[in-house]
Amino acid sequence: MSEFIDEVLEFIDPLFEPAFMIGSIKALVIAAALLGVVPPLVWLERRLMGRFQVRLGPNRVGPLGLGQPFADSIKLLFKESIIQSSADKFLYHLAPAVVVFTAIVAFAVIPFGEPVTVFGQEIGLWGANINSGILFIFAISGMGIYGMVLAGLSSNNKYSLMGGLRSSAQMISYELTLGLSALSVIVLTGSLNLIDLVQNQSTVPYIFLQPLAFLLFFIAGVAETNRAPFDLPEAEQELVAGFHTEYTGMKFAMFFMGEYINMVTMSSMITLLFLGGWNAYGLPLWPILAFAIKVFFLLCVFIWLRSTFPRLRYDRLMTFGWKVLLPLCILNLLVTSVIKVL
Amino acid sequence: MLDQYTGVAIMLLMAIGIAGGMVLMTSILGPKKRFADKMEPFECGESQLVSPRQRFSVKFYLVAVLFVLFDIEAVFFFPWAILFKRLGVFGFVEMLLFILILGVGLMYVWRRGGLDWE
């Protein structure tokens, strides 16, 4: 019996190693922060949209209406989850889970500050520091397309199907632009590691060296997160709500959670690649605060774009991606490498 | 090497837990009152006239194929971009040729009308 206990203890021994413990705590903190940032972000969007449209926005629940998104999420949790009878049950349940899953995992490799020393242990402010950080994020956020396509296909509803098809075609088209515009930054750095990228920008952020790449990456990023003016998959006037027409309750909310977490991830990516990450450039800010301010600014720009631009027509959207952004990306890469070689 | 990915693995498990837990929770909580009309797919109040499981525009298929082609080409860029300094002029000229081929491919699709939506 004691031998058995010894074996069990030996088996679970690695779980008590400091590296594993710290990793678990970090993962827990990051996941909690991501889930916790969604309600305030919804609140921010609704308040800002209200101001942009010369109205107040939600202001009844709690101080400044801050309780509104929390009340909404509790309400959604206790709503009936309707699965219409002709839907594919398994895929129908899988789709929102895939969306949330990919959104959370993609954030695992994003660093948001220099390593800090706590209790004699050096702790990096990131979930994981992998050498191929950028590729990892592209790969995982690419998987998010599955969630939308599966939602569209499994619902057995023509609006959902159209929304799912549209979103897949849109996202794969703009993913090319996203990858290729990030490449010109990688040419300058020579590394896919996000921490190396930030350290290379300690004197000047890449937005000044690569303004066109920044613009392309930003546009593609807005399209990747399905935000207005690229919110064709949802297009409520034509497609009701696109791929999540048939969803109710928390499963409906999960698509929105995915969207908002993706917004945060995309803003962090833009900050890391072009705005110098946590470098404060002489301003007396903590690294993590500098990072947070930049991300917050970009999130506000995302919301600002939504209230400024009308939605694109679908054929315009696709031709814009393939005929304008993609050639510009290739051209920018070419020019960057020519300058770099000279 | 594998150590770097421990964090990713933990995050992966946690994300599965969160996503699965949410779906499970919303299925358990909340009322369950089923009746025939509620279980119909939404079509602005009408009963479903035609099944959505039909043929759809081939354009979407074409876009997917084009994406696969261009994305594979983009994948070749990544190792080149990392080794840019080490490869020097040789790597630069090689990649110039590659970009040229990619550009010709894009031009071909463009001229054949593969990127137009009617």
Side-chain angles (χ1 to χ4, degrees):
Chain A
M1 189 61 199
S2 65
E3 265 176 40
F4 175 72
I5 291 171
D6 282 348
E7 268 175 35
V8 169
L9 281 177
E10 208 168 302
F11 185 72
I12 61 169
D13 193 45
L15 294 182
F16 293 106
E17 273 182 24
F20 187 84
M21 299 278 269
I22 290 170
S24 306
I25 293 168
K26 280 199 290 197
L28 201 66
V29 170
I30 291 172
L34 275 181
L35 295 181
V37 86
V38 172
L41 200 54
V42 174
W43 173 82
L44 180 75
E45 170 150 32
R46 293 182 61 183
R47 288 290 285 194
L48 276 183
M49 288 288 287
R51 291 290 167 180
F52 284 131
Q53 296 163 357
V54 204
R55 57 190 174 84
L56 286 172
N59 64 348
R60 291 302 160 99
V61 188
L64 296 172
L66 260 170
Q68 186 68 48
F70 295 99
D72 283 346
S73 42
I74 291 168
K75 183 197 76 178
L76 281 166
L77 192 59
F78 286 96
K79 283 285 176 189
E80 180 174 3
S81 134
I82 302 169
I83 310 157
Q84 57 112 334
S85 43
S86 57
D88 186 320
K89 300 264 176 334
F90 177 68
L91 294 181
Y92 184 83
H93 281 107
L94 186 66
V98 168
V99 171
V100 170
F101 168 77
T102 52
I104 294 174
V105 172
F107 208 84
V109 297
I110 285 183
F112 33 83
E114 274 164 2
V116 289
T117 313
V118 182
F119 302 125
Q121 287 266 6
E122 190 168 89
I123 296 172
L125 294 176
W126 45 75
N129 176 17
I130 62 176
N131 280 333
S132 50
I134 299 175
L135 279 183
F136 180 84
I137 294 175
F138 285 155
I140 295 293
S141 58
M143 262 171 65
I145 299 173
Y146 280 111
M148 289 160 196
V149 175
L150 288 180
L153 285 176
S154 67
S155 291
N156 195 24
N157 176 319
K158 61 183 170 199
Y159 300 118
S160 303
L161 183 68
M162 278 184 219
L165 285 173
R166 277 185 177 191
S167 71
S168 61
Q170 174 188 334
M171 284 178 80
I172 58 179
S173 300
Y174 280 80
E175 211 169 275
L176 285 174
T177 308
L178 206 66
L180 285 173
S181 52
L183 260 172
S184 39
V185 170
I186 297 164
V187 168
L188 292 183
T189 315
S191 170
L192 289 172
N193 190 315
L194 289 161
I195 296 159
D196 287 355
L197 265 169
V198 174
Q199 278 161 357
N200 273 316
Q201 299 179 68
S202 55
T203 48
V204 61
Y206 281 148
I207 182 173
F208 295 120
L209 303 176
Q210 289 284 343
L212 185 62
F214 168 74
L215 205 64
L216 293 167
F217 193 89
F218 189 80
I219 294 171
V222 177
E224 272 299 284
T225 46
N226 289 330
R227 296 282 305 172
F230 301 106
D231 57 345
L232 268 296
E234 298 176 30
E236 59 266 29
Q237 291 89 343
E238 317 158 34
L239 291 180
V240 191
F243 54 85
H244 48 59
T245 301
E246 288 293 341
Y247 282 87
T248 57
M250 201 60 192
K251 286 207 280 281
F252 170 74
M254 281 169 82
F255 285 109
F256 280 94
M257 282 175 67
E259 182 182 315
Y260 281 98
I261 296 175
N262 279 333
M263 253 169 85
V264 177
T265 311
M266 197 48 79
S267 304
S268 310
M269 277 286 274
I270 296 168
T271 307
L272 291 170
L273 287 175
F274 295 101
L275 302 183
W278 54 81
N279 290 314
Y281 302 108
L283 292 173
L285 290 172
W286 292 335
I288 191 162
L289 197 64
F291 183 80
I293 288 172
K294 286 171 192 174
V295 170
F296 180 76
F297 172 73
L298 284 171
L299 287 173
C300 291
V301 173
F302 268 74
I303 296 165
W304 185 10
L305 283 178
R306 181 176 162 190
S307 51
T308 304
F309 291 109
R311 185 179 298 129
L312 265 76
R313 216 170 65 200
Y314 193 69
D315 58 335
R316 292 271 185 87
L317 173 90
M318 294 306 281
T319 45
F320 180 63
W322 285 94
K323 290 187 177 175
V324 179
L325 294 183
L326 190 59
L328 272 179
C329 266
I330 296 171
L331 205 68
N332 187 45
L333 186 64
L334 208 65
V335 171
T336 308
S337 53
V338 167
I339 291 171
K340 191 80 176 154
V341 121
L342 289 178
Chain B
M1 178 61 202
L2 268 177
D3 255 15
Q4 319 178 340
Y5 286 91
T6 320
V8 175
I10 298 168
M11 203 75 183
L12 215 73
L13 289 175
M14 200 160 286
I16 290 174
I18 291 170
M22 276 184 181
V23 171
L24 201 71
M25 232 163 36
T26 183
S27 306
I28 293 168
L29 300 169
K32 287 176 192 63
K33 297 192 193 87
R34 292 162 181 278
F35 49 92
D37 281 350
K38 194 163 145 186
M39 294 299 144
E40 272 185 8
F42 175 79
E43 203 128 317
C44 307
E46 297 282 325
S47 295
Q48 203 166 34
L49 291 172
V50 281
S51 166
R53 294 198 174 130
Q54 294 176 358
R55 299 181 177 185
F56 51 83
S57 172
V58 74
K59 269 290 177 220
F60 290 109
Y61 175 74
L62 192 64
V63 166
V65 170
L66 287 177
F67 164 72
V68 171
L69 286 176
F70 281 99
D71 209 36
I72 289 172
E73 280 167 338
V75 165
F76 285 121
F77 278 120
F78 278 95
W80 165 76
I82 295 168
L83 295 174
F84 189 79
K85 280 173 207 151
R86 236 185 290 169
L87 288 174
V89 179
F90 168 74
F92 173 69
V93 173
E94 286 277 294
M95 219 51 198
L96 219 57
L97 283 173
F98 188 75
I99 292 176
L100 198 73
I101 293 168
L102 199 148
V104 169
L106 185 66
M107 277 315 287
Y108 175 75
V109 178
W110 194 326
R111 292 293 289 277
R112 288 295 297 263
L115 304 178
D116 296 320
W117 288 74
E118 293 95 36

